[in-house]
Each structure stands twice: as C-alpha cells, then as structure tokens.
Amino acid sequence: MISSKIEEALNRQIDLEGFSSMYYLAMGSWAEVNGYKGVAQFLYHHSDEERMHMLKLFRYINDRGGRAIVPPFAAPQKDFKNIREIFDIVHSHEVKVSNEINALVELCIQEKDYTTHNFLQWYVTEQIEEESLARDVIDKLNLIGEDKGGMYLFDRDLATLTGQQGGGKGHGGHGH
Ligand code: FEO
C-alpha cells in the first residue's frame, strides 16, 4: 500500500509524462507539415514512449492500492521556430523530467517507501538515456549548422534512429 503522499506525487508524475507525450506529438506534427518526415517519425515514437512511461505509473499506483487519475493536461506549444528549437526544448524538458524523478526518489527515502524507490529506478536509468539521446541529436545539429543538404541527411538519419530506438533500448512496446 502506498501512502497518499506518494500517491499524489506519482500522480503528478503521470501528469508530466502524459504532458511530455502530447508535447512531442505537437512537435512531431509541426515537423511533419514542415517537410521533416524523419524528425516527425522520431518524435511520434518518442511520444509513444512517454505514453508508456505514463501507463507504467498508472499500473503501479493501482497495483499498490492507490488510484491513478487522468489529469487535465496543459495544451502544449504548437508553433516552433525550427528543428533546433524543438530539440533544445526536448533536452531541457528531459532535464526537468529527470529532476522530478530525482525529487520523487528523494521523497521515497524520506517516506521510507522502498518499494516505490525500487520501482523508480527504471525511470532513473531511462532518464540517463533520454538526456543523452537529446544531447546526441543537438550535437548533430551543431555540426550541420545552416547547411540545407545536411538537414536533409539529418532528417533521414532520425528516421533510422527511430528504428534502432525500439529494440536497442529494450522496452520497445509492451510489458512496462
Ligand atoms: Fe518519460 Fe522523457 O521522460
């Protein structure tokens, strides 16, 4: 059984993961209508992953005698300057998510909830990957700069990266 304090904190994380899913969906839609099909594919996939992060929290809260709630999600930004802005936002957003996960871990220690602490370790590991992936993409963009041909290849590259993400990260679809 989880305490109401932990239940509330995990429900706030549901809000953040669900919002992340909508956010990346909005970015994907912008990329798609602006001719970046590969970037769109990458962001749609990322959006699906965030929904999976949210769902994992739903199941955990309910399994542990709490109740997962669907929050009223804030509307995400829908217009972006360029691809660079999108990935800068992805990176800073993931840093924010990592900070929230760390705060949750800290709360579990304070509350002596070692079961939830254990459950959250998956998210701690996941955040290392998420931040490093966003940084890798920004590194690529830095190399390309304003080069149009480079952007064309970058878009194709991201479509490839999407294919590798599913298997390589070991949580491609279900079971979480
Ligand atoms: Fe679910 Fe990108 O953090």
Side-chain angles (χ1 to χ4, degrees):
M1 187 88 188
I2 46 174
S3 71
S4 55
K5 204 164 176 177
I6 295 288
E7 181 182 354
E8 275 168 31
L10 292 176
N11 266 302
R12 279 198 299 278
Q13 193 63 28
I14 281 180
D15 194 355
L16 186 56
E17 301 288 351
F19 176 74
S20 305
S21 179
M22 310 288 188
Y23 210 0
Y24 298 151
L25 196 57
M27 291 172 187
S29 182
W30 185 93
E32 191 160 50
V33 299
N34 282 281
Y36 297 101
K37 304 280 184 230
V39 174
Q41 202 179 318
F42 177 88
L43 289 164
Y44 288 157
H45 179 83
H46 203 153
S47 171
D48 282 347
E49 287 210 340
E50 297 301 349
R51 187 183 183 279
M52 188 270 287
H53 299 173
M54 176 180 72
L55 193 58
K56 204 171 155 72
L57 283 154
F58 263 75
R59 297 212 170 116
Y60 179 78
I61 295 171
N62 290 343
D63 276 352
R64 299 279 302 144
R67 185 172 171 205
I69 305 288
V70 178
F73 295 111
Q77 177 180 342
K78 66 180 193 303
D79 291 312
F80 303 90
K81 269 206 305 272
N82 49 36
I83 295 296
R84 176 63 203 240
E85 186 191 22
I86 285 180
F87 283 101
D88 282 341
I89 295 173
V90 169
H91 182 253
S92 56
H93 187 70
E94 288 303 334
V95 169
K96 178 182 163 174
V97 174
S98 299
N99 290 340
E100 294 301 323
I101 294 290
N102 290 340
L104 268 173
V105 168
E106 182 62 34
L107 182 69
C108 288
I109 294 168
Q110 279 168 23
E111 296 287 302
K112 297 189 170 29
D113 183 342
Y114 302 114
T115 310
T116 304
H117 184 275
N118 186 47
F119 164 75
L120 287 171
Q121 295 314 304
W122 184 87
Y123 289 84
V124 171
T125 308
E126 178 67 14
Q127 282 315 116
I128 297 170
E129 289 184 27
E130 297 251 22
E131 280 189 44
S132 120
L133 181 64
R135 269 198 312 273
D136 286 352
V137 173
I138 289 171
D139 284 346
K140 282 180 199 282
L141 286 171
N142 283 340
L143 282 174
I144 295 162
E146 299 295 313
D147 181 50
K148 288 235 180 340
M151 276 311 286
Y152 174 78
L153 292 174
F154 169 83
D155 189 57
R156 282 211 328 212
D157 228 35
L158 277 213
T160 314
L161 202 60
T162 310
Q164 292 166 352
Q165 255 184 310
K169 295 177 87 188
H171 57 81
H174 49 263
H176 294 286

